[in-house]
Amino acid sequence: MLLGVAKVCITPPVGVWQGGYASRTRPCEKISEDIFVRVHIHRHQEQTVAYIYADIVQWDNLVVAEARNTLREKFGLKENQLVFLASHNHSGPIVGHDEMQIPPAVESPAYTSFVMEKVCQAVETALSCLREVTMVRYNGLCRQNVFRRVNEDGKVRMAPNYEVPADRNLTVLAMRDGDGVVRGLMVHYACHANLANNYELHPDYPGVTLRMLDEAYPDSVALFMQGCTGDLRPNSVCGTEFVPAQYDKVLQFAEIFANTCRRTMEGPAIPVKDGLRVAVEKLRLPLVNTRTREELEELTRTGTDFQRSWAQTVLRRGNPASEVLEIMQIRYGSGCTIYTFNGEVVQAYAAYARELDPEAVCAAYTNGMIGYISTAKEIVEGGYEPDESAPYFGLAGTYSIEIEQLIRDRFRKLRETIKN
């Protein structure tokens, strides 16, 4: 396999708005650590896949569409060759204009354009330095996350729940040249990047970890694949509640995580044989509890600032009765299959993927964002993820319980592509 890597700084100026928390009432006031776009180009024979990672909360739907057009025109890369990964960093800047703008937060169009320029720069650099490598996979465990839904008296609230096992799987993909030098790393883990909630901008634990891994392997560029962490969170707890961390604690959390990754790389190495095939499935996920156009138009006149913003977003999007889930399957020769989703997917779907394909690695927050993708059980229970979060993503309604079976059926279809 051929590998090309690059990373480019995308740190914004102080004063941009941060994504991830609706509770913020003012822009960023301090830069604690730089953030980056990181690119891996994987090529085998005629197939190429470009992984484009950023230390941001999510890739905006419209930005992904525009970036796909730009990268096709500049480099001939097609839609099914592009994988836009986000760490889901709640301390990063807003990038994009399809994202629900929660008053008073606003996008900086100039900054979004700047990020897109840096994406093109990084892709061009990575394409220019392709070298032959071999890939190996390391499987480990990491205990830094916790299930975050607690059902008390029939109502779900966000709190640490140690009775429900969290997905502790840690995967490290290492790419080495003929001399054994590490040239690229891909780290996969399922844990929200929301340790901090203040007005300091930094890459949270995923980006800090990548910086530490780059320092440990100076000829390499590492990137992070955020897992299905819709109902998982960092185990930053006091008593029975989650507590936010300051930047110094983010550094400690990241150091523990980076050391866990390095110890995992001291374990058995599973060869990932050459081969690269991509399949994409798109399915419509039905929405319920929607409003009529007349009701939305009334809200734009009489609602609160948040309601007006939400109604305007839904109307601009055409008040859809469904959202499109995009599942991408990236199959290497053997040893690894990566599945990606354009949503905040809960851990049960990653577990199901591994039941069908033990080599599965599931990355959420990829190629756009259509909100939380919960299970039927969680939808019935309610709570933040299936219910309360929907307006923050500009969704016209909440997802139907049907979506779990639709997604499971499509997983099985993708699995059949491997068998065939």
Side-chain angles (χ1 to χ4, degrees):
M1 184 182 83
L2 297 178
L3 170 71
V5 298
K7 67 177 179 180
V8 181
C9 182
I10 57 166
T11 304
V14 169
V16 302
W17 284 89
Q18 295 160 275
Y21 290 111
S23 59
R24 289 192 175 106
T25 58
R26 58 189 187 275
C28 159
E29 298 173 343
K30 179 182 178 181
I31 308 296
S32 298
E33 182 168 333
D34 285 330
I35 63 173
F36 288 85
V37 160
R38 296 163 172 268
V39 170
H40 274 205
I41 304 291
H42 293 187
R43 178 171 291 171
H44 177 68
Q45 296 177 356
E46 301 301 315
Q47 181 61 275
T48 298
V49 174
Y51 296 94
I52 302 163
Y53 163 92
D55 295 308
I56 59 176
V57 68
Q58 63 193 43
W59 286 104
D60 172 274
N61 298 315
L62 290 178
V63 166
V64 168
E66 293 168 3
R68 282 169 166 172
N69 289 334
T70 299
L71 294 175
R72 183 183 66 250
E73 292 170 2
K74 285 182 175 290
F75 308 110
L77 293 169
K78 300 176 184 177
E79 178 178 318
N80 65 355
Q81 295 176 305
L82 298 170
V83 185
F84 289 89
L85 299 164
S87 65
H88 199 44
N89 172 25
H90 284 52
S91 292
I94 292 174
V95 176
H97 29 272
D98 190 42
E99 183 173 329
M100 169 73 176
Q101 302 294 309
I102 303 169
V106 292
E107 175 212 6
S108 167
Y111 179 67
T112 298
S113 297
F114 167 78
V115 171
M116 290 303 99
E117 291 172 6
K118 294 302 180 181
V119 166
C120 291
Q121 178 183 333
V123 170
E124 183 174 27
T125 299
L127 284 168
S128 70
C129 63
L130 294 170
R131 68 173 71 227
E132 190 167 342
V133 296
T134 56
M135 182 190 291
V136 296
R137 172 177 179 162
Y138 299 94
N139 294 327
L141 294 174
C142 183
R143 295 176 174 82
Q144 289 177 257
N145 60 2
V146 62
F147 190 73
R148 70 178 195 174
R149 289 170 56 87
V150 174
N151 196 327
E152 295 178 341
D153 300 322
K155 186 175 181 180
V156 174
R157 70 182 187 94
M158 192 177 294
N161 184 343
Y162 297 99
E163 295 180 4
V164 177
D167 181 358
R168 301 289 170 77
N169 289 285
L170 169 65
T171 304
V172 180
L173 301 174
M175 286 137 275
R176 293 183 173 87
D177 64 18
D179 296 322
V181 176
V182 176
R183 296 293 180 175
L185 291 173
M186 298 174 72
V187 176
H188 173 265
Y189 187 55
C191 181
H192 251 73
N194 64 344
L195 277 167
N197 66 355
N198 53 23
Y199 296 90
E200 295 183 33
L201 190 142
H202 53 74
D204 210 290
Y205 83 88
V208 177
T209 297
L210 296 180
R211 187 250 298 164
M212 292 175 175
L213 291 174
D214 287 351
E215 292 168 353
Y217 305 97
D219 297 301
S220 166
V221 171
L223 58 78
F224 182 77
M225 295 185 289
Q226 181 62 271
C228 295
T229 185
D231 45 11
L232 302 172
R233 187 163 168 161
N235 190 24
S236 178
V237 174
C238 181
T240 60
E241 304 294 331
F242 289 113
V243 294
Q246 301 299 316
Y247 175 63
D248 60 335
K249 299 300 182 185
V250 172
L251 293 177
Q252 292 179 19
F253 191 98
E255 184 174 15
I256 294 169
F257 185 58
N259 288 337
T260 302
C261 293
R262 294 178 67 181
R263 285 197 300 272
T264 298
M265 293 175 63
E266 295 171 358
I270 302 169
V272 178
K273 296 182 180 178
D274 281 351
L276 198 55
R277 289 184 292 174
V278 178
V280 178
E281 288 287 333
K282 296 182 180 181
L283 64 154
R284 290 202 167 270
L285 303 183
L287 296 168
V288 295
N289 304 318
T290 56
R291 305 283 189 98
T292 66
R293 182 176 184 85
E294 290 74 21
E295 289 172 327
L296 292 168
E297 289 174 344
E298 178 66 18
L299 274 178
T300 65
R301 294 187 295 269
T302 63
T304 64
D305 287 347
F306 179 80
Q307 288 172 330
R308 286 198 299 271
S309 180
W310 170 74
Q312 289 165 357
T313 300
V314 174
L315 286 169
R316 174 170 52 81
R317 293 177 177 175
N319 195 18
S322 62
E323 293 285 343
V324 177
L325 177 67
E326 177 184 292
I327 307 176
M328 178 179 283
Q329 178 198 71
I330 306 163
R331 173 71 177 175
Y332 292 83
S334 67
C336 183
T337 308
I338 297 174
Y339 294 87
T340 73
F341 310 88
N342 59 328
E344 293 212 39
V345 183
V346 299
Q347 66 170 350
Y349 290 107
Y352 183 66
R354 288 192 297 271
E355 285 180 21
L356 296 177
D357 179 4
E359 298 177 351
V361 172
C362 292
Y365 313 95
T366 303
N367 292 335
M369 174 54 62
I370 62 167
Y372 279 90
I373 309 300
S374 302
T375 62
K377 178 177 181 291
E378 289 175 338
I379 292 171
V380 170
E381 291 174 339
Y384 176 74
E385 291 90 349
D387 290 340
E388 300 158 24
S389 69
Y392 295 99
F393 292 98
L395 299 180
T398 56
Y399 286 112
S400 163
I401 60 172
E402 300 171 54
I403 70 169
E404 179 172 357
Q405 193 59 51
L406 291 171
I407 295 169
R408 284 173 172 259
D409 290 345
R410 204 56 62 100
F411 259 133
R412 287 195 293 271
K413 181 178 178 180
L414 281 168
R415 177 58 181 163
E416 288 303 313
T417 66
I418 295 176
K419 294 179 179 178
N420 296 331

